[in-house]
Amino acid sequence: MRFAAKVEVTLRPGISDPEGATIERALPALGFDAVAKVRAGRSFAFEVEADDEEAARAIASELADRLLANPVIEQSHLELTPHA
């Protein structure tokens, strides 16, 4: 079976986010006064071939933990859906 995986990587709470802070400071000048607490991150999309969803989730989770995110300062969130 083939599964579509999406991994969102963000900084852990409490870790300084200079990119998010820069974006937040620019927002009022662009007319976005109601937006606050901006955090930046990265998104990755890929496909996983596996026997079942549990195996696909294990592969995608390991890839996220070992390659896509720095577990010391970042956290990742995985979404997995069967590929049509």
Side-chain angles (χ1 to χ4, degrees):
M1 295 180 69
R2 188 170 294 254
F3 296 87
K6 183 177 178 184
V7 176
E8 297 286 335
V9 177
T10 57
L11 291 167
R12 291 188 178 279
I15 300 294
S16 176
D17 183 357
E19 185 177 7
T22 298
I23 293 167
E24 188 170 339
R25 283 192 303 274
L27 291 174
L30 298 172
F32 296 103
D33 297 322
V35 179
K37 297 186 180 182
V38 176
R39 301 286 286 176
R42 300 183 314 276
S43 177
F44 300 91
F46 53 93
E47 293 182 357
V48 178
E49 183 73 35
D51 292 334
D52 56 32
E53 185 173 344
E54 183 178 337
R57 187 169 298 281
I59 292 167
S61 292
E62 183 175 1
L63 184 140
D65 292 344
R66 293 182 56 197
L67 180 64
L68 303 179
N70 176 347
V72 174
I73 62 169
E74 295 175 317
Q75 58 192 5
S76 63
H77 173 73
L78 170 64
E79 290 181 27
L80 195 64
T81 54
H83 195 274

